[in-house]
Amino acid sequence: MNAPEDLSAAERAFMLNAFEIDILPGVRGDLDEPLASAPPGELVPVLLPLIDKGWIDVCRVIPWTPPSGGSGFQPGPPLAREELLNALTDADSWEYPESGDWIGCVTLTHTPAGRLISW
């Protein structure tokens, strides 16, 4: 396991995105160029090791009803490996939805082990 201080700036950006539970396109604002505008094929190799170390889960945003009875959303269960790879290589997963509706979008979350990493 890499020591947290050994994380690259790009890896730290993905850890921040997972902390914020932002949808996947949000990571671009935390990346330096040329990665900020890179295609998914150049970003997936940065993210996959963090997933494989058990620090980040990739989920889809699902509906949630808060106690107030309104409508909201939250991360769903982690994606299975095949679905995960399909989602991460899909260019649309790396763009904000035109509709503004995040339901079904890909999001990153920290795993219990990822919450312990000082990034």
Side-chain angles (χ1 to χ4, degrees):
M1 180 184 303
N2 287 347
E5 60 272 6
D6 293 338
L7 293 178
S8 70
E11 289 170 321
R12 288 178 189 276
F14 279 104
M15 292 296 286
L16 176 62
N17 188 263
F19 172 78
E20 294 173 340
I21 313 175
D22 195 357
I23 62 173
L24 192 56
V27 76
R28 290 190 182 278
D30 299 314
L31 290 168
D32 295 327
E33 287 296 347
L35 286 178
S37 57
E42 293 180 33
L43 298 173
V44 172
V46 177
L47 177 57
L48 275 181
L50 299 172
I51 296 166
D52 291 340
K53 289 175 185 174
W55 295 351
I56 290 178
D57 279 330
V58 178
C59 311
R60 292 211 179 265
V61 176
I62 60 172
W64 173 68
T65 303
S68 66
S71 62
F73 51 88
Q74 66 183 2
L79 300 180
R81 188 66 175 203
E82 182 178 315
E83 185 180 358
L84 175 139
L85 293 175
N86 288 337
L88 294 180
T89 56
D90 179 2
D92 288 342
S93 294
W94 296 86
E95 300 295 333
Y96 283 102
E98 288 184 27
S99 69
D101 182 6
W102 288 18
I103 302 299
C105 291
V106 175
T107 190
L108 306 178
T109 63
H110 283 157
T111 65
R115 288 195 263 309
L116 300 176
I117 301 301
S118 174
W119 43 272

